[in-house]
């Protein structure tokens, strides 16, 4: 029959109206949930250099723990390493999460070898006079010499010089940039 006012409308059976000429529905991918790449920072042991000028005077362990608060880190973890080589070395790690890929790196300066034992020049272990033949050389003529192959020599100094009669011990101390020291002593006797 004929529809009556009690019959439900039949609109749900009709096709949707057209959207207009040339209209196409475009599907866009959803925006990524994670907009940040992971943070890749090293964890060092010891945590800070244990010598001056950024030098380490012992072995250093390097571990990596990449983090991303918005998504899990998907890449294989970087293995921990130990640096037992004197000199300057760089270590790095790369990590990937839903936000992309990033990397971190660290440079380790390590020196565990003391500088060369210093040489004292301009004076010898013997008896000196304050005046005349066999006179004590002035402090400016006495030199401290050393070297360091890794961090480099920071200083070479002599202490204990006095122009007074008596027994004296001159102490030469060589210090490298990692703070390691070598010492040489020289005994002299000063008479009038």
């Amino acid at each position: 029959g004929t529809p009556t006012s009690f019959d439900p409308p039949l609109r749900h059976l009709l096709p949707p109206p057209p959207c207009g000429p040339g209209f196409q529905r475009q599907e866009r991918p959803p925006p990524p949930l994670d907009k940040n790449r992971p943070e890749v920072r090293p964890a060092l042991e010891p945590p800070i250099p244990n010598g001056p000028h950024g030098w380490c005077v012992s072995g250093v362990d390097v571990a990596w723990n990449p983090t991303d608060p918005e998504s899990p880190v998907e890449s294989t973890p970087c293995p921990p390493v130990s640096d037992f080589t004197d000199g300057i070395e760089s270590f790095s790690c790369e990590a990937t999460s839903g936000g992309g890929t990033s990397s971190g790196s660290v440079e380790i300066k390590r020196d565990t070898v003391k500088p060369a034992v210093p040489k004292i020049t301009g004076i010898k272990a013997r008896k000196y006079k304050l005046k005349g033949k066999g006179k004590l050389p002035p402090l400016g003529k006495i030199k401290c010499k050393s070297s360091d192959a890794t961090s480099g020599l920071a200083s070479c100094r002599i202490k204990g010089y006095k122009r007074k009669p008596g027994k004296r011990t001159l102490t030469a101390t060589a210090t490298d940039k990692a703070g390691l020291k070598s010492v040489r002593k020289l005994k002299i006797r000063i008479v009038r």
Side-chain angles (χ1 to χ4, degrees), residues 39-113:
E39 281 189 31
V40 185
R41 291 185 182 168
L44 305 178
E45 184 56 45
I48 58 172
N50 50 8
H53 308 290
W55 286 90
C56 296
V57 294
S58 63
V60 179
D61 294 326
V62 182
W64 302 93
N65 186 20
T67 58
D68 186 336
E70 297 177 350
S71 65
V73 175
E74 302 161 357
S75 54
T76 305
C78 296
V81 292
S82 294
D83 183 16
F84 291 112
T85 305
D86 277 4
I88 300 174
E89 287 195 89
S90 293
F91 299 92
S92 62
C93 176
E94 186 175 278
T96 302
S97 70
T101 300
S102 61
S103 62
S105 65
V106 64
E107 180 181 85
I108 296 175
K109 302 190 306 185
R110 182 176 183 266
D111 186 356
T112 60
V113 179

Side-chain angles (χ1 to χ4, degrees), residues 11-18:
R11 274 187 234 139
H12 67 282
L13 298 176
L14 298 174

Side-chain angles (χ1 to χ4, degrees), residues 1-191:
T2 31
T4 66
S5 59
F6 299 108
D7 291 336
L10 300 176
R11 274 187 234 139
H12 67 282
L13 298 176
L14 298 174
C19 294
F23 179 82
Q24 291 183 349
R25 180 180 275 181
Q26 273 191 327
E27 296 292 329
R28 290 186 185 169
L33 299 176
D34 185 352
K35 295 181 181 179
N36 298 312
R37 295 179 292 176
E39 281 189 31
V40 185
R41 291 185 182 168
L44 305 178
E45 184 56 45
I48 58 172
N50 50 8
H53 308 290
W55 286 90
C56 296
V57 294
S58 63
V60 179
D61 294 326
V62 182
W64 302 93
N65 186 20
T67 58
D68 186 336
E70 297 177 350
S71 65
V73 175
E74 302 161 357
S75 54
T76 305
C78 296
V81 292
S82 294
D83 183 16
F84 291 112
T85 305
D86 277 4
I88 300 174
E89 287 195 89
S90 293
F91 299 92
S92 62
C93 176
E94 186 175 278
T96 302
S97 70
T101 300
S102 61
S103 62
S105 65
V106 64
E107 180 181 85
I108 296 175
K109 302 190 306 185
R110 182 176 183 266
D111 186 356
T112 60
V113 179
K114 294 178 181 179
V117 175
K119 293 179 182 177
I120 301 173
T121 62
I123 194 168
K124 294 185 178 181
R126 67 177 182 87
K127 181 170 72 171
Y128 289 93
K129 293 181 182 179
L130 287 173
K131 295 181 180 178
K133 193 173 181 183
K135 180 180 163 185
L136 178 68
L139 182 59
K141 297 278 184 181
I142 301 170
K143 304 290 181 194
C144 177
K145 295 185 178 180
S146 182
S147 62
D148 186 82
T150 306
S151 61
L153 193 65
S155 67
C156 194
R157 295 193 173 100
I158 296 176
K159 290 185 178 179
Y161 180 91
K162 287 184 183 176
R163 293 189 62 83
K164 292 182 180 178
K167 292 180 180 178
R168 303 273 176 261
T169 300
L170 301 181
T171 304
T173 304
T175 307
D176 65 17
K177 291 178 182 172
L180 302 171
K181 299 178 187 291
S182 293
V183 174
R184 182 184 295 271
K185 295 184 182 286
L186 179 88
K187 297 188 178 200
I188 61 172
R189 188 171 164 227
I190 303 169
V191 295

